[in-house]
Amino acid sequence: MIEVRQIDKQFRTPDGLFHALRGVDLRIESGEIFGIIGRSGAGKSTLLRILNLLERPSAGKVLIEGRDITGLDGPELRHLRQGIGMVFQHFNLLSSRTVYENVRLPLRIAGGLDSAEERQRVGEALDLVGLSDQARKFPRQLSGGQRQRVGIARAIANRPQLLLCDEATSALDPETTQSILALLRDINRRLKLTIVLITHGMDVIRAVADRVAVLDHGQIVETGNVIDVFLAPKHATTQALLSEIGLDAAAAATSGEGAPVLGRTSIWRLTSRGGSVETPVLTAVARELGLDIAILQGSVGRIKDTPYAQLTVRIEGIDDAILSGLSQSLARREVHCERLS
């Protein structure tokens, strides 16, 4: 649905030109949830705002469904934005208007609907986000999670094809964050809506995204299916972000230093996904090959809808003759193994 080709963005500052984005290429498929992650200042918000031309690129092109939108202006640009919803970090609701009026606002701006059609659209959007009974309240009377749900209802009232989420959960507590992420998943499934979200939290990406791009200093340093990027990160920035949520195999590889060693010792990362997660792999392999296996670090959970397990283990008493048997035994059980040391 979206293709970003060699996007550059520069800002003039008192110290000279600041390069916010450099040579960014992305492809986002229709109907998927695509996450863009990076630390503060990486260029995430700038990239997101370029997708609806709230920021214009200094160079490069943005194509939506094959159409180059980079040069649009005036009525054509307004028409484009009617098909793109946006959810903001701090809600951006009008405090003097009710929930109903906030959700109706983009419909009034777009025009073309009579009062009955507007009421139907607003009712559908509020029902979808679970706020049908809050329509006559004002934003100050709502919790943070409810206000963000109003923001989402407003963003989808025009029935857009694309929804952009700018740190949509950063201002929320963990429990409310999970409820908003569940709502975005539900909207994606029900409406077949393409969602692009930016965040600095890997847990957000893990919960909702199908694919992810990692942004660092204005450049895409890694991209791919979320489960592949999470379980086998290649770039140092990705590894650092994952270490913040306890997925850091490299650190675990040195955590067993000083422990008693029987014969030769090696550190391995074992990864399984899907149905193989429930298999008692370590017990079976230890018995089969007569190995002593110590778990240094482990993570078991779900990446969106896929269960996964990743363990960093120290195997004691291993020698070269056992290596091939270990690999074969793990492969039979649909476990990917990687020797770290």
Side-chain angles (χ1 to χ4, degrees):
M1 182 179 188
I2 303 171
E3 191 174 354
V4 175
R5 296 180 183 172
Q6 287 294 297
I7 287 292
D8 280 29
K9 179 61 180 179
Q10 302 171 5
F11 294 99
R12 292 193 178 277
T13 72
D15 299 321
L17 284 179
F18 171 70
H19 290 264
L21 297 171
R22 297 173 182 265
V24 172
D25 288 309
L26 275 182
R27 187 178 179 90
I28 299 171
E29 302 298 336
S30 180
E32 73 176 340
I33 301 180
F34 192 94
I36 301 171
I37 190 167
R39 300 193 184 283
S40 296
K44 305 184 301 296
S45 291
T46 300
L47 178 56
L48 191 76
R49 290 164 66 86
I50 282 175
L51 297 183
N52 63 359
L53 296 187
L54 288 176
E55 293 284 356
R56 290 189 178 271
S58 303
K61 294 181 179 181
V62 177
L63 287 78
I64 295 183
E65 295 186 326
R67 180 191 184 192
D68 183 3
I69 69 165
T70 317
L72 295 184
D73 210 341
E76 285 188 313
L77 179 56
R78 288 193 293 273
H79 181 72
L80 168 77
R81 287 176 176 162
Q82 289 170 15
I84 302 176
M86 192 157 186
V87 182
F88 300 91
Q89 178 179 357
H90 295 293
F91 322 132
N92 285 18
L93 302 178
L94 298 176
S95 59
S96 61
R97 299 197 181 192
T98 64
V99 166
Y100 179 91
E101 291 167 339
N102 268 281
V103 176
R104 186 176 64 163
L105 181 61
L107 301 176
R108 298 292 301 274
I109 293 172
L113 299 178
D114 60 31
S115 296
E117 290 172 320
E118 287 181 356
R119 285 195 298 272
Q120 180 183 351
R121 290 278 191 94
V122 174
E124 289 174 354
L126 288 176
D127 184 58
L128 189 58
V129 303
L131 290 180
S132 295
D133 58 343
Q134 307 293 320
R136 298 305 170 189
K137 289 187 177 180
F138 289 88
R140 64 178 178 275
Q141 298 173 288
L142 305 178
S143 68
Q146 288 175 320
R147 278 178 278 174
Q148 191 58 287
R149 286 173 180 266
V150 175
I152 293 172
R154 179 184 58 191
I156 64 175
N158 252 334
R159 297 177 179 171
Q161 297 174 300
L162 173 63
L163 183 64
L164 307 179
C165 299
D166 187 359
E167 299 275 11
T169 60
S170 295
L172 305 175
D173 62 74
E175 182 178 354
T176 306
T177 291
Q178 291 307 310
S179 72
I180 293 298
L181 295 179
L183 174 60
L184 290 176
R185 288 197 303 267
D186 186 50
I187 288 172
N188 170 253
R189 282 193 291 261
R190 287 198 196 188
L191 305 182
K192 309 301 181 186
L193 191 62
T194 304
I195 299 177
V196 181
L197 61 88
I198 64 169
T199 180
H200 60 268
M202 277 293 195
D203 277 334
V204 172
I205 297 295
R206 175 166 62 181
V208 298
D210 300 298
R211 292 194 302 131
V212 63
V214 182
L215 199 61
D216 184 46
H217 292 93
Q219 295 180 300
I220 300 292
V221 296
E222 188 162 358
T223 187
N225 293 330
V226 170
I227 194 164
D228 295 328
V229 171
F230 265 64
L231 299 182
K234 295 178 175 59
H235 195 272
T237 298
T238 315
Q239 294 165 1
L241 290 167
L242 286 169
S243 70
E244 296 173 3
I245 61 170
L247 290 174
D248 187 2
T254 62
S255 65
E257 290 180 0
V261 177
L262 304 175
R264 298 180 62 185
T265 300
S266 58
I267 308 297
W268 295 74
R269 178 165 58 196
L270 310 181
T271 304
S272 59
R273 61 181 75 179
S276 62
V277 169
E278 299 180 3
T279 304
V281 173
L282 293 186
T283 301
V285 171
R287 287 174 177 170
E288 183 179 318
L289 301 177
L291 297 174
D292 293 318
I293 302 176
I295 298 175
L296 303 181
Q297 186 187 67
S299 177
V300 179
R302 301 183 76 86
I303 295 178
K304 200 172 183 182
D305 298 322
T306 304
Y308 78 93
Q310 188 170 75
L311 303 177
T312 305
V313 301
R314 184 180 69 236
I315 303 179
E316 300 175 348
I318 196 170
D319 57 35
D320 292 338
I322 297 176
L323 284 177
S324 62
L326 175 64
S327 298
Q328 292 172 11
S329 180
L330 292 170
R332 285 200 306 272
R333 295 173 171 85
E334 298 182 332
V335 177
H336 174 76
C337 63
E338 178 185 1
R339 188 170 184 172
L340 302 179
S341 69

